[in-house]
Structures are given as C-alpha cells and as structure tokens.
Amino acid sequence: MDYSTLAMQLFLTGIFLSSLYILVTFGLTMIFGVMEIVNFAHASFAILGGYTSLMVVTALGLDPFVALIPVVIFMALVGWLTFEFFARYTLDVGDAHVVHYYALLLIISNVLALIFGLDYKFIPSSLGYSQIHLGPFKYPLIKFVVAMASLATVAALSVYLKKSVIGKKIRAVSQNKEAAEIMGIDSLGIRRITWIIGVSSAGLMGALVGLVNPFSPYAGTTYLIVAFSVAILGGMGSLVGTIVAGFIIGMSESLFSLFLPSQISPVVAFVFIIGVLMVKPEGLFSRA
Amino acid sequence: MLEVKNLGVGYGNLQVTHQVSFTLDKGELVALLGGNGAGKTTTIKSVMGVLPAWEGEVLLDGKPIHQLKTPQIVSMGLAYVPEQKSVFPKMTVLENLELALNSPESQEKKDQTMKEVFDLFPRISSKTKLKQMAGTLSGGEQRMLVIARALMSLPTYLLLDEPSLGLAPRLVQDLFEAIKQIHAKGVPIFLVEQNVNLTLQIADRAYVLEQGKIVLEGTGSELCEMPHIRESYLGI
C-alpha cells in the first residue's frame, strides 16, 4: 500500500467514525441543552433502533435504507411515550435525574436481552461487500453510504434548528428558558419535541451503525462513552461544538489506529479531551 | 383593565407582599415605586405567573388569570420585560425580535411594527446590528432589544420591571423618552422603577410599595408634592 492510498484510507475511516459520533452526540447534547438532562439511556435508544431495523428488514423484507423510515417513526413514538411516562417527571428533580436515566438504560438493555438474547446481530444489506472506486483506491460502499446518511441527517437537523420556527424556539429555550416562557413559548412542549428528536436520531444512528458493526443489547455503552467524550470536548449543549469535536475525535481515532493497536486507539480521544479541558474546562464551544 | 386585588406572594415560608391592590386601565401609565426589597419585582412576577400567588386575585378584563401559566398569560396580550438580562444571546437581534411574533396578528403586522420599533430604538435598528448576536450588544442595547421584542408581540398591556437599572444617565433619558412614546401610542404600561424622579414625570398614577404593602397612591403630581415622597425618594 502506498502512502496516498493509506492517507485516503485513514481519511475515509475518519469521516465514517466522525459521522456516527456526531449523529449519536447530536441528540444527547440537544437534550442536555434544552432539558438539562444527562441522558445515560441515549445509546440504548440507538441499540433499540438497531433491533427495530433488524425486525423490519427481516420480517418485511425491506431494504435497510428504506427501513429507516419506519424505524424513525417507531423511535419517535418511543420518544413520545418515554417523555409522557418518564422524562417529564424527571425535569425538576435536579442532579438525581442521572440515577433515573441510568435505570432507564438498564431497563431498555435488559428488555432487549430478554427478547433478542445476547448474541451479536447484524443488519443484512444488499450492498454487501461492494466497494467504491476512487481512482486506484477502494473503500466499502456500505460504510461510505452510512457515513453520508449520518452527515445528511446532521445537516438536516442543523438546518431545521437554524431556520424553522420550532427550531428557533428550541434554541431559545436552550439559551434562556425563563426568557422563552415570558415570550409565550411553551417550554414543556419544546422539551417534548427535543426529546423526541433526540431519541429518534439515536435510533436512526443505531439502525445505520448496525449495517456495519454487529450489536448486542449491551453494546450501547461504547457509543455512550464516545458520545459523552464528543459532547464534553465540544462543550455540553453546543451543536457546533458537537460537529467540530466529532470530527476531531473520529479523525484522531482513525489516524492513531495506524500506530496503535485498535483496542488502544480510542484512548487517544480521551487523552486529547483531558488536554483540552485543562486549558478550556467548558469545552471548545459554549451552549447552543 | 388589569386589576390586582389583595395579592400576597412569597418565597419558601416567607411572605413578601401583603394585600397589594392596584389597577391599570386602558391608555394609562401606572408606576409602582419603592426601594430595594420592597416587593416590586415579586409583585410583577406574580402578575405574570412566574411566581404563584399565595392569596388574592389578578383579573384581566374581569377574568381571573392568577392561576394560569406564564405562556398562557402572555398569549392573552400581557408582555413582560424582566429586570434581569433576557435576550437570547446566541441569536441575532432580528431572530430575537421575530420570536415575539406569537399571534397571527403580530405576524401580519410585522413590517409595520418593526418600523415603529426601530423609530423608538434607533440604536439597535441598523442592518449590521440586526445581524449581530444579541449577546454581543451592550447592556443598554440589550435592555432596548428586550423592550422592542415585547412590542413586536403587539401587547395589550406592557409590564416593565426596572428598565433603567444599571444604565448610563444618557441612556436612561433615551429610555424614558421611548417609554413616553409607547404610552402616547396608547399601550397601557405598568412601570416598576426606582428612579422616582423621572418616573413621576411621565406616570399618570403611581403606587408606593414599602415592606410588601402599598402605602401611598396618587397621580404623579400629587405624589411629587407629598412630604414623605420628597424626603424618602426624591431627597428634596
């Protein structure tokens, strides 16, 4: 392998990792920004999305990319139910909510384990082992498509938050909840929408990542740790920070996989975070 | 008419205001005066549903509103400018203003209202200012933006909590001039202030709150003549 091929390989792997990291963190940091909730159950919603996709694909025989539509609809429903019967009661309990969300993580993981067992599952795709050819260089098509789908989702969510009326209200509540209420904005309604968007985007991420990496009911933890790293590095609640930090962590993980065994390369991200937080404890960007 | 009857409000176990009653009629500028800790902000927050009323009632055109939540009260036409900073710092000045368009009527008349608001507050109306993040404005400009934002919702009543607090004297003059003009357009204003001198010059009527109770009321000129006001508040 010559150097240019190697560089391209690292670059594309970096983009692939970054896109997933950004997508999973986007919902986490949005929920933190608007609801002041550290959602430990976030990645288990991603795994739930993975299993939902698997069911839709195997039972209905849908293409996994078409299946993303019913997956997102189902996850939005899960989001609505978990808000009405769970999240809305945790809004005023202060830091104790962390325990509630850890419990939610255990409940979701254990229910999935009961239903699906502990075996690793994998969402089959018609793209299989196809490769894309960029000049002399080859890369798995499925990874490329997953990365593009993740980035497109993040882009669409960003535009929605920036331009739509509800998006502006979401940002308003995130920046100043009291001021938003005296502007007549129904902050409970905005927090409900935010939670539903967060849960759905996590489910979508799970359905995408399940096309590339096998998953089990307890596999969410890996993504949870990454999502927290990205969120903290970028500044909790900052969406721009999430995008920048997602690329930093994804790219550095890919780059260092060259020199370090694959089990160790994620550690680089943490070393990087510690370094940044020593200089800038609030993260790279501030909220919203 | 906005009517407050025997309002009592507090925090924790401590009741701060007792039997506070006042009215604000169409077209009036009514002031609530008093020193630090008298309960002025507590009263205005309770009217807006930010703090729950412990006793008494708040009536808007005869309908009780003291059990409603803030967004509902706002949708009935009350606009509130709080004492503390309340811009959305990472949104542009224009986005801040547009967030107040919460009724079909305010959306329809947006361009016209915006023009009027810019005439009142020229400091925040330039094209570059409108694109600027609200958090980067000076303290005085932020205060003006919050009042401008409240006006964008075409309020039927405007409640201002110490708008002049912490502003440079020249800006205070500009601000009172703007309040006078808003009043001249017929928007009823409830003004909570510590700047007694300037307030009495523009207010139709005023109430004086001391230790959570209304101790005096009268027209601006009547209060100016009262020895207690002259000694305690005007320092004459």
Side-chain angles (χ1 to χ4, degrees), chain A residues 162 168-169 171-172 175-176 179-185 286-288, chain B residues 70-71 74 80 82 85-91 95 99-100 102 149:
Chain A
K162 184 84 190 148
K168 285 180 182 175
K169 289 182 178 176
R171 285 192 290 141
Q175 290 173 30
N176 193 335
E181 287 191 339
I182 61 164
M183 302 297 297
I185 295 173
S286 61
R287 190 183 283 201
Chain B
T70 309
V74 173
Y80 165 47
K85 280 190 181 175
S86 72
V87 299
F88 302 110
K90 296 216 159 175
M91 291 177 140
E95 283 178 316
L99 269 171
N102 48 20
R149 197 175 63 183

Side-chain angles (χ1 to χ4, degrees), chain B:
Chain B
M1 183 160 78
L2 182 69
E3 249 178 304
V4 172
K5 287 184 180 168
N6 302 321
L7 190 67
V9 197
Y11 304 90
N13 296 322
L14 183 72
Q15 187 162 349
V16 175
T17 67
H18 306 263
Q19 309 274 311
V20 171
S21 300
F22 60 86
T23 57
L24 172 63
D25 214 337
K26 296 263 152 63
E28 274 191 309
L29 197 168
V30 172
L32 182 64
L33 307 169
N36 270 332
K40 304 186 302 296
T41 296
T42 307
T43 302
I44 201 169
K45 277 188 170 172
S46 183
V47 171
M48 288 309 297
V50 177
L51 288 172
W54 287 15
E55 54 187 31
E57 324 178 272
V58 182
L59 304 171
L60 182 64
D61 299 325
K63 277 177 286 186
I65 60 166
H66 51 275
Q67 279 165 346
L68 301 180
K69 294 214 152 78
T70 309
Q72 289 171 291
I73 295 173
V74 173
S75 72
M76 297 173 87
L78 266 64
Y80 165 47
V81 174
E83 178 186 6
Q84 74 275 25
K85 280 190 181 175
S86 72
V87 299
F88 302 110
K90 296 216 159 175
M91 291 177 140
T92 64
V93 170
L94 187 63
E95 283 178 316
N96 267 271
L97 291 172
E98 285 174 342
L99 269 171
L101 304 170
N102 48 20
S103 68
E105 198 200 352
S106 63
Q107 282 160 17
E108 222 167 82
K109 296 192 176 159
K110 176 187 156 186
D111 294 341
Q112 192 199 331
T113 322
M114 209 170 261
K115 206 178 146 289
E116 289 176 18
V117 163
F118 289 167
D119 286 343
L120 279 175
F121 301 110
R123 293 177 71 98
I124 55 166
S125 67
S126 71
K127 276 208 169 107
T128 45
K129 272 276 151 67
L130 286 177
K131 286 187 202 150
Q132 206 172 317
M133 290 295 159
T136 63
L137 298 179
S138 73
E141 288 168 338
Q142 291 196 20
R143 199 69 57 80
M144 288 171 187
L145 173 57
V146 176
I147 299 174
R149 197 175 63 183
L151 292 174
M152 291 300 291
S153 68
L154 298 177
T156 41
Y157 295 91
L158 180 62
L159 289 78
L160 303 170
D161 191 359
E162 298 211 29
S164 74
L165 189 76
L167 295 189
R170 218 180 64 88
L171 283 179
V172 173
Q173 291 286 354
D174 289 355
L175 186 80
F176 272 81
E177 189 50 41
I179 295 172
K180 230 163 92 179
Q181 287 184 35
I182 298 165
H183 177 218
K185 287 188 176 145
V187 181
I189 300 174
F190 184 67
L191 176 62
V192 165
E193 259 299 336
Q194 291 205 44
N195 191 328
V196 174
N197 188 9
L198 280 173
T199 305
L200 287 181
Q201 286 177 29
I202 62 167
D204 298 316
R205 292 187 299 118
Y207 296 83
V208 178
L209 195 65
E210 282 179 8
Q211 295 180 336
K213 293 188 179 111
I214 302 269
V215 292
L216 284 172
E217 62 172 286
T219 64
S221 47
E222 275 169 12
L223 286 171
C224 274
E225 298 305 317
M226 286 185 192
H228 177 66
I229 297 288
R230 292 173 71 92
E231 275 169 32
S232 307
Y233 295 97
L234 297 173
I236 320 176

Side-chain angles (χ1 to χ4, degrees), chain A:
Chain A
M1 209 190 293
D2 62 43
Y3 285 115
S4 65
T5 315
L6 183 66
M8 195 69 182
Q9 171 85 39
L10 291 173
F11 175 73
L12 283 176
T13 304
I15 295 284
F16 168 73
L17 292 173
S18 307
S19 70
L20 292 173
Y21 293 173
I22 293 168
L23 180 56
V24 73
T25 313
F26 207 84
L28 182 82
T29 206
M30 224 175 114
I31 287 171
F32 178 81
V34 174
M35 304 174 74
E36 311 242 311
I37 278 173
V38 180
N39 181 14
F40 273 99
H42 195 69
S44 47
F45 286 118
I47 301 296
L48 178 61
Y51 280 105
T52 310
S53 170
L54 184 66
M55 299 258 288
V56 173
V57 169
T58 50
L60 303 177
L62 283 183
D63 181 272
F65 288 99
V66 179
L68 293 176
I69 297 165
V71 168
V72 169
I73 293 170
F74 175 77
M75 290 308 295
L77 187 68
V78 169
W80 179 67
L81 288 172
T82 45
F83 185 85
E84 291 305 325
F85 294 101
F86 178 82
R88 66 181 293 168
Y89 300 104
T90 67
L91 293 171
D92 300 315
V93 300
D95 293 342
H97 76 265
V98 171
V99 183
H100 298 114
Y101 285 83
Y102 186 64
L104 185 63
L105 168 123
L106 294 178
I107 292 167
I108 296 173
S109 312
N110 289 337
V111 167
L112 287 174
L114 264 176
I115 301 172
F116 297 101
L118 294 174
D119 295 344
Y120 273 82
K121 296 278 172 31
F122 182 70
I123 304 165
S125 152
S126 57
L127 298 179
Y129 297 100
S130 315
Q131 305 264 337
I132 49 163
H133 296 263
L134 299 166
F137 179 73
K138 282 187 276 184
Y139 191 76
L141 179 59
I142 185 81
K143 283 192 171 184
F144 187 76
V145 175
V146 163
M148 291 305 119
S150 301
L151 290 178
T153 308
V154 170
L157 282 174
S158 305
V159 171
Y160 178 74
L161 288 174
K162 184 84 190 148
K163 299 285 177 194
S164 75
V165 174
I166 294 195
K168 285 180 182 175
K169 289 182 178 176
I170 289 175
R171 285 192 290 141
V173 173
S174 168
Q175 290 173 30
N176 193 335
K177 179 167 154 274
E178 287 73 26
E181 287 191 339
I182 61 164
M183 302 297 297
I185 295 173
D186 166 20
S187 68
L188 185 70
I190 291 300
R191 288 183 280 186
R192 179 186 294 114
I193 292 170
T194 304
W195 176 259
I196 291 173
I197 293 174
V199 167
S200 312
S201 66
L204 179 68
M205 183 268 184
L208 286 171
V209 82
L211 286 160
V212 179
N213 297 334
F215 56 93
S216 77
Y218 298 102
T221 324
T222 328
Y223 297 109
L224 187 68
I225 292 169
V226 171
F228 274 117
S229 316
V230 172
I232 291 165
L233 179 62
M236 281 298 271
S238 164
L239 298 174
V240 179
T242 295
I243 295 170
V244 173
F247 277 116
I248 290 174
I249 291 187
M251 287 293 182
S252 62
E253 193 178 318
S254 167
L255 181 66
F256 282 93
S257 67
L258 190 63
F259 314 110
L260 297 167
S262 64
Q263 298 90 330
I264 297 179
S265 61
V267 173
V268 172
F270 298 119
V271 174
F272 198 83
I273 291 164
I274 292 167
V276 169
L277 295 185
M278 280 166 74
V279 186
K280 220 166 173 291
E282 72 278 18
L284 293 172
F285 294 83
S286 61
R287 190 183 283 201

